[in-house]
Amino acid sequence: MSGNPALLVRALAREAVLGAGGRGFVRYLPPGGALLATDALARAADAAQEKRLTEALTAAGFVCAPQGPLVGLTPTDALLLRVSGEAAQPVLIDWDGQLAPAQALAVRWMKKPRLPLTSAGRVLTMETLRLLWQPEKQVLAGLRGLRALAAQNLRTGDASGAHEAGCCLSAWLEQAAQNEEERI
């Protein structure tokens, strides 16, 4: 799966909303809690449309939780595994390039075994996706926070989510390299 997995997750949610006849925004939320939010249910014409929207989002792989006028969307484990890709491309580290820290982190995490996601592993994967939604400079600046989150998980003996987060980072790096080639 190529391209930015954060864009893919948002696109899947938007497709589900539009496919069910809904309208409204789908946005990333700040860290903690649900990954995305939408106001599509608040814009629904009736209860039947609300039900169609909820069913479409659930079928797309999201758990829906009301948050005031919005609905928080948390990806299921199946969706997180899907967007992290089954066969991520190997990452080559350009130690002189500005992406070297991200490349090194992706390589290290992708070497971890794929484990069933625990709540801590799920958070690591979701926070990686949340970070990858940001512009490149913010992603690079946010790597320290991801490393700290992974280290905290490892101190408790939980290595789940590292492989998936590394695969998401790998896909983002592939997209960043393509964008760089287009700029040249």
Side-chain angles (χ1 to χ4, degrees):
M1 181 172 304
S2 64
N4 187 337
L7 295 175
L8 176 63
V9 170
R10 183 173 176 260
L12 290 170
R14 287 184 51 77
E15 269 179 35
V17 167
L18 296 174
R23 59 186 180 89
F25 65 77
V26 175
R27 295 189 179 138
Y28 272 85
L29 291 172
L35 186 63
L36 300 163
T38 183
D39 66 343
L41 271 67
R43 295 173 181 252
D46 54 26
Q49 187 178 25
E50 283 182 30
K51 183 178 179 190
R52 279 194 309 276
L53 286 166
T54 302
E55 288 172 351
L57 287 164
T58 302
F62 295 94
V63 175
C64 303
Q67 296 181 343
L70 304 177
V71 174
L73 304 174
T74 302
T76 61
D77 288 358
L79 180 57
L80 290 175
L81 293 173
R82 180 175 153 211
V83 299
S84 69
E86 288 301 318
Q89 298 296 317
V91 177
L92 300 175
I93 303 173
D94 174 10
W95 291 108
D96 295 326
Q98 70 178 15
L99 297 176
Q103 292 165 338
L105 186 60
V107 166
R108 186 168 4 129
W109 282 354
M110 287 172 56
K111 287 180 182 177
K112 302 278 185 199
R114 191 178 286 270
L115 300 169
L117 289 175
T118 63
S119 61
R122 194 173 301 111
V123 167
L124 177 62
T125 306
M126 285 187 1
E127 292 307 321
T128 301
L129 288 170
R130 194 182 319 269
L131 179 63
L132 298 180
W133 173 252
Q134 303 297 320
E136 185 176 300
K137 286 183 181 182
Q138 289 176 317
V139 171
L140 295 173
L143 292 177
R144 179 176 286 162
L146 287 180
R147 279 191 198 100
L149 185 58
Q152 178 183 344
N153 291 356
L154 286 174
R155 279 192 293 278
T156 63
D158 187 353
S160 87
H163 182 84
E164 291 74 12
C167 289
C168 289
L169 193 53
S170 170
W172 177 83
L173 286 162
E174 186 179 329
Q175 185 67 46
Q178 288 176 358
N179 292 346
E180 184 63 30
E181 286 176 9
E182 292 172 3
R183 282 183 271 201
I184 295 177

